[in-house]
Amino acid sequence: MDSSQDYPLELTGTNVPMVRFMNVSKNYGGLKVLDNLNLDVAEAEKVSIIGPSGSGKTTVLRMLMTLESINSGVIYVDGKPLTHMPRGGKLVPADASYLRRMRASIGMCFQSFNLFPHMTALQNCVEGPIQVLGLSKAEARDRAEELLSMVGMIEKKDQHPARLSGGQQQRVAIARALAMRPKVMLFDEVTSALDPEVIGEVTNVIRKLVSEFRLTMLMVTHQMGFAADISDRVCFFFSGKIEEQGEPKQLFGDPKRERTQQFLSAVKDAV
Amino acid sequence: MELDWSWRFAWEILPDLLAGALKTLAAVGIGYSMAIVGGLILALLQRTRSRLLSAAVREFVEFIRSTPLLLQIYFVFFVGPQFGVQLSPWASGLIAIGLYRSAYLSEIYRGGLEAVPAGQWEACTALNLSGRDAYFRIIIPQALPPATAGMGNALIAIFKDTPMLSAIGVAELMHAATVVGANSYRYLEPYTLVGLIFLLLSLPAAWVIRIFERWLRSKLGMV
Amino acid sequence: MSLWLFLVQYGSRYLSGSLVTASQFVLASLVTVVFAVTFGLLLLSKTYWLRAFAAAYIDFFRGSSLVVQIYWIFFVLPLLGLSLSPFIAGFLAVGLNTGAYGAEVVRGAILAVPKGQWEAAYALSMSPAKRMYRIIFPQAFLIMLPPWGNLLIDVLKGTALVSLIGLAELMFQAKQINNLTFLSAQAFGAALAIYYLLARFLITPAVRGLESRLRRKMSRT
C-alpha cells in the first residue's frame, strides 16, 4: 500500500464526483490487471466501459462493489473513501463493517444473474430490503412489485429462477438490485450470457431505467450500439488502462487512438 | 441338517428385543443430533481464515474417519476413569458415535457448501447482506439439497453403528439379543431377529430419505 | 510407566495383533473386490432376476449392521451346519459387507464411462464380454479408484469388529493390554495410532499412487 495519507479524507467543494478512482492499481500475482487508474463519474452520469477481454474492465466494477480489494490507490463514492476509512487523521484500509456501510449505495447486476435459486422472483426482490434495509414485509413487497412491473416480470413473480429464461432472470436481477435503492448501479456484461433474441428485452429495461431514474451507472458491455445509445461517455480499456474515452459519437465515430480503431473495426467485423 | 427354528421361542423373546430396539432408536436420535451440530462446527472451522486451524481440524477429521469406531468407543469409555472422570456407558458411547459421525457429516456439509456457485456469495455482497444472513438465508439452504442424501445416509449409518455400544454394556438391541442368547444357549432366533429388525427399519428409512430429498429439491425450486 | 517402557513391554503384542489385522485386511479386501465386481456387473445385467438377486444381496448387507453380520455368521451358521473359525468368519463377513457397498461403486463407475465408448466398441462388433473387459472396465476402473480408497479404509476399520468374536487382532490386543494394565490412554492410544498410520500413510497413498500411475499410462501416447 502506498502512502495513503497523501489522499484526502473526504472530497469537498463543488462538483464532487459520485465515483472517483484515484491511482488505483490491482495485481493478480505478477499480472497487472489495472495500472494506475484515474476515473471520475459524475452524479447521474452513464459511463460504458468497452475493451478486449482481459483489459481489466470487469475488475473496475468488482472493485467498486468491494468484491475485490485493491493493491494501491483509493476509490471514493459520493465524496467518501470506499476502500479506506479515516482513522486518526489519515486513511487506513477499510474494515469489513466500514465496507458494508459504504457499499449500501452501490448495486450490481451480474453476467450470470446470480438469482437465489431457492427463492421466487418476488422473494429475491424483497430479501435485501427486509433483511438489510429493515423494511416491513408489506413495504418491501409493494416496492418489489412496482419494480417487477417496471421490468415486465410481475406475472412471473411467484416463479423460481429455474423456470425463467435467461432474459427473464436478468430482468428480475435488475429489479432486485434496484430494490436496494442504490445511488450507483453497475452492470457487468449483463447480456453476455443471453441468447441473441432476448438481449433486446434486457437492454430495453436498462434504457427505461436511464430515462426514469436519476442513477449513476457504470456498465461493461459488448453491445456497442446499446452503449452508444445510452451512455454519456464511453471508456475504452486496454491492458489495464483507459486507452481512450469520450462521448459516444466521438469515440465510435472518430476514434483517435490506433488500438481503439483496431478494436472497433474488429468488433464491427464480428457482427 | 434340519433348521432348528422355534417360533415359540422367537415370540417369547420378541418383547425383550423390541425394548432393546427402542433404546437403540434413542441412541440413534441423540447421536444423530450431536453429529448434525458437531459436523457443522467441524465444517465451518475448516472454512476459517486461519490456515493452521483449518489444517488441524482437517487432520482431526481424517483421523476420526480412518480409525475404528469401536476403538474410539473404548478409548472414551476407559480413558476417563484413568484420569478420574467417570462416564457412563451411554454417555461415552454416544460421545464417541456423535464425534465419529460428525467427522463424516462435516465432509458432507463441506461438499454441499463448496457446490454453491461463487456468484451466490457475490450476489449476497451486492445486496449487502450480513455474513450471517448470507450463510443462513442464502448459502446453507442451497447447500442442503445436495447434502440431504449424505445426511440421510449418516442417520442410517449411526443406526448400524449402535450395536458396537453393546461392547461397553449399553443395553441396546444387540446387547438384548446377546443376553437372551447367553441365558438360553440359543443364538439362532435372537441374532436372526436382530438382523431382521435392522433390515425392517433401515430399508424403509432409506426409501423415505430418497423421497424426502426429491421433495426438498422441488420445494426449493431446484429441479 | 513411561510410554517408552510401555511400548517395549507390549510392543510384541501390538506387532502380532497388527499382523493378524493386516492378514484380515488383505483377505477381506480380496473378498470385497470379488463381490463388488461380480454384483456390480450383475446390477447392470439385462436379466431381471440377476439384477434382483444382486439388489437383494446389496440391500441385505447394507441394510443391517456389520456387527450383527459377524455375530450371525459366527454363532448362527454353525447351527445350520457350517462352522467357521473366527479368522475365516471375520474376513468373510467384512468382505461380504464392504462388497455390497463396493458393488454400487462399480456399477456407478461403469455407467460413468461415456456412452460414445460403448457405441465405438459396438461399432467394432466386439462381443459384449470383450467390450466390457477390454474397453469399458479399464476406463471404469480409473473412475472408481478414489471411492475404493474409502472402501478399503472401511475394510480396515471393519476388521476391528472381528475382535468381538475373539480373534486376537490389533483391537483385541489393545483391549487385553488395557485389562492387564488399566493404562487405557496408552493401550487404546497406541492402537489408534497404528490404525491411523495404516490408513493414512499406507492404504490412501497406495490407492492414490495406483490412480496416478494408471492415469499416466492412459494418457501416454
Side-chain angles (χ1 to χ4, degrees), chain A:
Chain A
M1 181 68 49
D2 61 352
S3 50
S4 353
Q5 59 264 40
D6 300 343
Y7 294 95
L9 296 180
E10 205 170 324
L11 304 181
T12 48
T14 50
N15 289 331
V16 170
M18 182 53 88
V19 174
R20 167 169 287 177
F21 287 78
M22 253 178 117
N23 309 326
V24 173
S25 294
K26 170 81 185 169
N27 314 310
Y28 289 119
L31 184 74
K32 196 145 225 174
V33 195
L34 276 184
D35 188 5
N36 207 30
L37 173 70
N38 284 287
L39 174 66
D40 277 7
V41 181
E43 196 193 345
E45 193 184 6
K46 277 74 180 158
V47 174
S48 288
I49 298 174
I50 61 171
S53 58
S55 59
K57 31 189 214 312
T58 288
T59 309
V60 173
L61 301 194
R62 293 175 59 85
M63 290 189 315
L64 197 48
M65 192 65 254
T66 74
L67 289 169
E68 301 204 17
S69 58
I70 65 177
N71 293 103
S72 63
V74 178
I75 302 176
Y76 294 86
V77 172
D78 206 8
K80 294 202 183 66
L82 167 78
T83 51
H84 295 69
M85 55 185 183
R87 174 84 34 103
K90 56 178 188 173
L91 289 182
V92 297
D95 62 20
S97 73
Y98 182 83
L99 281 179
R100 189 154 181 246
R101 199 151 12 104
M102 284 303 296
R103 69 169 171 253
S105 50
I106 304 164
M108 184 166 181
C109 292
F110 300 88
Q111 180 179 348
S112 51
F113 331 132
N114 296 346
L115 288 180
F116 303 135
H118 58 303
M119 297 179 174
T120 63
L122 183 67
Q123 285 167 341
N124 264 282
C125 295
V126 299
E127 179 68 13
I130 293 174
Q131 301 300 327
V132 180
L133 305 180
L135 261 56
S136 74
K137 279 192 182 143
E139 252 178 307
R141 197 190 162 88
D142 288 350
R143 168 96 180 139
E145 287 184 341
E146 199 179 296
L147 288 166
L148 284 171
S149 310
M150 194 203 76
V151 300
M153 287 298 296
I154 191 70
E155 262 114 65
K156 304 264 185 189
K157 69 182 162 84
D158 294 322
Q159 299 281 357
H160 282 93
R163 300 220 180 270
L164 301 176
S165 73
Q168 292 173 329
Q169 289 192 53
Q170 195 59 287
R171 280 145 65 196
V172 174
I174 292 171
R176 177 176 77 172
L178 289 173
M180 298 299 287
R181 302 172 194 271
K183 292 179 188 160
V184 183
M185 268 295 284
L186 311 176
F187 294 94
D188 185 14
E189 303 197 24
V190 286
T191 57
S192 295
L194 299 178
D195 291 331
E197 71 271 20
V198 298
I199 288 177
E201 62 186 64
V202 171
T203 50
N204 284 340
V205 164
I206 298 176
R207 277 177 223 272
K208 210 161 153 192
L209 285 188
V210 170
S211 63
E212 288 180 18
F213 290 75
R214 229 184 104 74
L215 273 170
T216 309
M217 285 175 29
L218 270 90
M219 58 176 204
V220 170
T221 182
H222 295 294
Q223 306 291 118
M224 297 304 153
F226 173 59
D229 276 0
I230 67 153
S231 314
D232 302 311
R233 181 158 46 120
V234 179
C235 298
F236 172 67
F237 268 69
F238 192 89
S239 68
K241 282 176 188 288
I242 298 180
E243 181 79 15
E244 182 171 356
Q245 56 178 316
E247 284 180 23
K249 204 185 279 177
Q250 179 267 312
L251 193 114
F252 288 119
D254 180 26
K256 298 279 182 282
R257 314 273 297 197
E258 201 189 327
R259 278 177 181 146
T260 320
Q261 293 159 4
Q262 280 170 356
F263 175 75
L264 289 175
S265 74
V267 170
K268 203 175 289 162
D269 288 348
V271 171

Side-chain angles (χ1 to χ4, degrees), chain C residues 79-100:
Chain C
L79 306 174
L80 308 176
L82 184 63
S83 282
L84 298 172
S85 70
F87 188 86
I88 293 176
F91 76 74
L92 263 185
V94 174
L96 283 168
N97 180 278
T98 323

Side-chain angles (χ1 to χ4, degrees), chain B residues 148-162:
Chain B
T148 42
M151 290 171 73
N153 287 340
L155 176 66
I156 296 175
I158 286 192
F159 179 47
K160 291 184 283 187
D161 290 339
T162 54

